[in-house]
Amino acid sequence: MNKIVSKQQFSAAVTKLVVEAPLIARSRRAGHFVIVRCGEHGERIPLTIADADPAAGTITLVVQAVGESTRKICALNPGEALTDVVGPLGQATHIERYGTVLCCGGGVGVAPLLPIIRAMKAAGNRVVSVLAGRTKDLIILEDEVRASSDDVIIMTDDGSYGQQGLVTVGVEQVLQREQVDYCVTIGPAIMMKFVALLTKKYEVPTEASLNAIMVDGTGMCGACRVTVGGRTRFVCVEGPEFDAHQIDFDELLMRLKNN
Amino acid sequence: MDETNDIIQSRDEQWRVGLRASRSPKERTAIERVAMPQLDPQYRVTCNEEVNQGITAEQAMREATRCLDCNNPQCVTGCPVGINIPKFIKNIERGDFAQAAATLKQTSSLPAVCGRVCPQEKQCESHCIHLKMKHPAVAIGYLERFAADWQREHGAEEAVRRPASNGIKVAVVGSGPAGLSFAGDMAKLGYEVTVFEALHEIGGVLKYGIPEFRLPNAIVDHEIDGLRQMGVTFVKNCIIGRTVTVDELCQQGFKGVFVASGAGFPRFMDIPGENLSGVMSSNEYLTRINLMEAGRGGDTPVLRGRVIAVVGGGNTAMDSARTARRMGAERVILVYRRSEAEMPARLEEVGHAKEEGVEFMTLHNPVEYLGDDRGRVRAMRVQRMELGEPDASGRRSPVPVEGAVEDIAVDLVIVAVGVSPNQLVPRSVPGLEVSRRNTIVVDDDTMQSSVPFLYAGGDIVRGGATVILAMGDGRRAAQAMHKQLS
């Protein structure tokens, strides 16, 4: 059992939970994820770690209620507990000094992007962040992102905040105005697909963090398989980040939709 | 070894001598082998109840009487953990079931499990003297199960004697059969054993892999509770190499580590369409249903097909096919590239699958999966095969029959063509020698790896074997590690 220490509601559907997990807090790095389970008959849900405090022994998870299981998780209150938390899983993000790094996150994807933004900044990069959401309420962690970015562009579909338009509009502005050496994108698969198409045009190496379906998260089930560069890869152990220009996003979208 | 002595000495005990003399070998061999009572196939596909119902005390005593109590019992040589088989059987014959069970527990941490899932026909029973006389072997497996079940059902466990601790901490990575067997043996020797499990349930493949209708979870849990009473500590949700490293275990004072992390990495065939929705590994299918209780009150979903193809010919393929029938599939087609004679599955499982209406499509191999416009599998393209020359495994290898290709409409495909070792743990230990197939390289006798304090066994060493071979590894590793540490 892993106790919920605190909770913050980002929007109606998006909740931030700070969870007791001392061993994971100590060993996790940017890009890692955990598998959580809520209830004795609960589903195993992969969630990327948004932040960790090794001294307090906690990790931060940002969860969007999209189905039965994520709704249950979001409904937990401080003092209550997740039944199981296991990790850290996956490969950590490769951090180095590229020069200028463009970090674009959509919706709840900004949460796992935040530790990468921080690590890229700490490694001496100029960091430009593009945050996107359908509407103002769905732009999360803006202050935290600003604190570690040299520039931030906000995009909303309805224009209720920042500029009106899809994430790609903001991304293209950056690509047109300055030399970008590396791009990281986390968000809905469809968003990452179009970001990847755009950065490919500008020949900027891009990593995308994939949110495939998983059961165990340790390589055992293969539910998370995805085609990258014509080869089948397991997101849980070989990812979750891959070269976005090599990912078969159409296959990923289809697998997400049908499962 | 103690066990050899035990086999010789126990045979000379007065009661055994008397029991042997009470009936002639001729009388004993004249008795017919017991048949395992089973649930009716029509009924059992509607539920998840255990198919084999177990034999009664009368049946067991009669079957035990068939055993000739040989002077040089060969059955024992066929048992990977070296159970004193004649001793436990003769105890059943004389009606001392508690003593029979105690004999099993001397060498096996999981007799109720082994009595159910061991391929006895290829091990102990294959050496039985009856076979030389053209009679069916003594049903050692049924008797093992009987004794273990009797003990559990009658609460007749000897008060577990928790041995005096020797104060030495050892760690086990993985709570499947190899890990549990090792843990039991080390606990008996007085070690402080901690078992680390990555999943949220203890038992490894016994829980996520083998279905309830073949091995009920309650049986596994009972055996695990027995280990707990012996002082074994279990830690769930802990991945060694991730949550805690092997180095950290050493810093925490663990003097030895036994890695039994299993072969949890499913193989696929690398054919077109394999990533369509509705094509999944048997690991995924069985884990969703067995471990996550999909379709039985769990929150985890599982795709349900009307026509399900299962690819493979091993026990996991049989488990998947039989599970598919229980999940309501109208047709379950088992596709296997060789003929039935080459199937690695146990004969009993093949028989049960057929009784339950699984269709066998042998000498066929899928070459492509075809999808609909939404990316879901709708058909499987199969290539007819014929048997050619024997391959490295000694089995005749299948070769394609030119032009013999057909499409079969299916809406779910379960790929059960084997597993590879899970690389999570081996990759995390610096200096650990790993083979090209990603198995941990160990000494065959001691199970010691290239890192002196680290031993390994089960599928992480073998790359995909049986419960009992994994248990044998655990036992040998325990003996060797004990020698090293004491």
Side-chain angles (χ1 to χ4, degrees), chain A residues 72 84 87 90 220-221 225 255, chain B residues 237 243 274-275 279 281 299:
Chain A
K72 262 197 217 170
D84 302 284
M220 210 175 80
C221 78
R225 57 199 197 279
R255 288 181 64 83
Chain B
N237 295 318
T243 320
E274 213 165 20
N275 289 345
V279 182
S281 72
D299 295 347

Side-chain angles (χ1 to χ4, degrees), chain B residues 338-349:
Chain B
R338 305 177 198 246
S339 79
E340 201 177 310
E342 285 83 21
M343 274 189 184
R346 293 187 66 193
L347 278 179
E348 184 181 40
E349 308 309 327

Side-chain angles (χ1 to χ4, degrees), chain B residues 133-315:
Chain B
M133 301 180 292
K134 305 279 179 237
H135 293 148
V138 172
I140 302 170
Y142 296 170
L143 291 173
E144 179 183 28
R145 172 184 163 158
F146 167 78
D149 284 359
W150 185 90
Q151 188 188 44
R152 187 184 62 256
E153 285 156 13
H154 290 77
E157 256 96 346
E158 290 175 76
V160 182
R161 271 171 300 146
R162 204 164 153 164
S165 166
N166 64 11
I168 304 174
K169 282 165 61 174
V170 295
V172 185
V173 183
S175 67
L180 293 179
S181 158
F182 175 89
D185 281 10
M186 290 304 265
K188 274 185 211 156
L189 291 165
Y191 288 85
E192 291 182 17
V193 185
T194 306
V195 180
F196 297 93
E197 167 57 48
L199 292 172
H200 59 269
E201 280 266 1
I202 304 298
V205 71
L206 305 174
K207 284 278 180 67
Y208 74 75
I210 304 177
E212 182 79 10
F213 57 81
R214 199 149 76 84
L215 177 64
N217 281 343
I219 304 277
V220 182
D221 285 333
H222 183 85
E223 309 264 32
I224 291 164
D225 280 343
L227 292 173
R228 274 204 187 94
Q229 284 168 30
M230 283 168 60
V232 175
T233 306
F234 290 95
V235 179
K236 297 188 284 189
N237 295 318
C238 186
I239 305 178
I240 301 304
R242 289 307 194 122
T243 320
V244 179
T245 63
V246 168
D247 269 356
E248 287 169 314
L249 289 179
C250 295
Q251 286 159 23
Q252 288 172 23
F254 286 95
K255 298 295 180 205
V257 178
F258 179 59
V259 178
S261 49
F265 209 78
R267 276 193 216 135
F268 287 92
M269 294 167 64
D270 210 10
I271 58 176
E274 213 165 20
N275 289 345
L276 287 167
S277 296
V279 182
M280 69 175 85
S281 72
S282 50
N283 264 5
E284 179 181 348
Y285 189 63
L286 293 174
T287 299
R288 282 179 184 274
I289 294 166
N290 296 338
L291 181 72
M292 306 309 299
E293 308 165 287
R296 296 198 182 87
D299 295 347
T300 304
V302 68
L303 292 173
R304 288 173 193 262
R306 206 174 54 76
V307 181
I308 303 184
V310 176
V311 184
N315 286 324

Side-chain angles (χ1 to χ4, degrees), chain B residues 352-366:
Chain B
H352 281 169
K354 285 184 173 173
E355 286 166 15
E356 290 166 12
V358 174
E359 298 169 39
F360 278 49
M361 190 171 196
T362 54
L363 288 168
H364 280 81
N365 200 29

Side-chain angles (χ1 to χ4, degrees), chain B residues 23-185:
Chain B
R23 279 170 201 257
S24 71
K26 207 172 163 187
E27 277 177 90
R28 293 178 187 276
T29 50
I31 303 170
E32 231 176 277
R33 178 178 156 124
V34 68
M36 173 60 76
Q38 295 170 2
L39 290 181
D40 178 65
Q42 307 274 308
Y43 169 72
R44 69 194 192 220
V45 296
T46 65
C47 64
N48 216 16
E49 287 168 37
E50 191 176 11
V51 169
N52 284 350
Q53 294 286 287
I55 56 178
T56 63
E58 292 71 30
Q59 285 174 312
M61 288 170 75
R62 189 177 155 86
E63 182 65 23
T65 309
R66 292 183 67 225
C67 169
L68 302 187
D69 200 4
C70 304
N71 188 22
N72 183 12
Q74 291 302 301
C75 48
V76 181
T77 65
C79 176
V81 298
I83 289 176
N84 187 340
I85 294 170
K87 182 178 171 186
F88 102 79
I89 291 184
K90 289 298 127 182
N91 269 304
I92 294 179
E93 183 182 339
R94 71 164 167 165
D96 191 343
F97 305 144
Q99 199 52 51
T103 305
L104 292 170
K105 280 271 163 91
Q106 270 173 17
T107 36
S108 170
S109 305
L110 313 166
V113 173
C114 294
R116 287 172 165 80
V117 303
C118 264
Q120 292 98 4
E121 67 281 4
K122 289 181 187 157
Q123 297 177 346
C124 51
E125 293 182 18
S126 76
H127 295 271
C128 181
I129 187 89
H130 280 250
L131 294 174
K132 295 204 173 67
M133 301 180 292
K134 305 279 179 237
H135 293 148
V138 172
I140 302 170
Y142 296 170
L143 291 173
E144 179 183 28
R145 172 184 163 158
F146 167 78
D149 284 359
W150 185 90
Q151 188 188 44
R152 187 184 62 256
E153 285 156 13
H154 290 77
E157 256 96 346
E158 290 175 76
V160 182
R161 271 171 300 146
R162 204 164 153 164
S165 166
N166 64 11
I168 304 174
K169 282 165 61 174
V170 295
V172 185
V173 183
S175 67
L180 293 179
S181 158
F182 175 89
D185 281 10

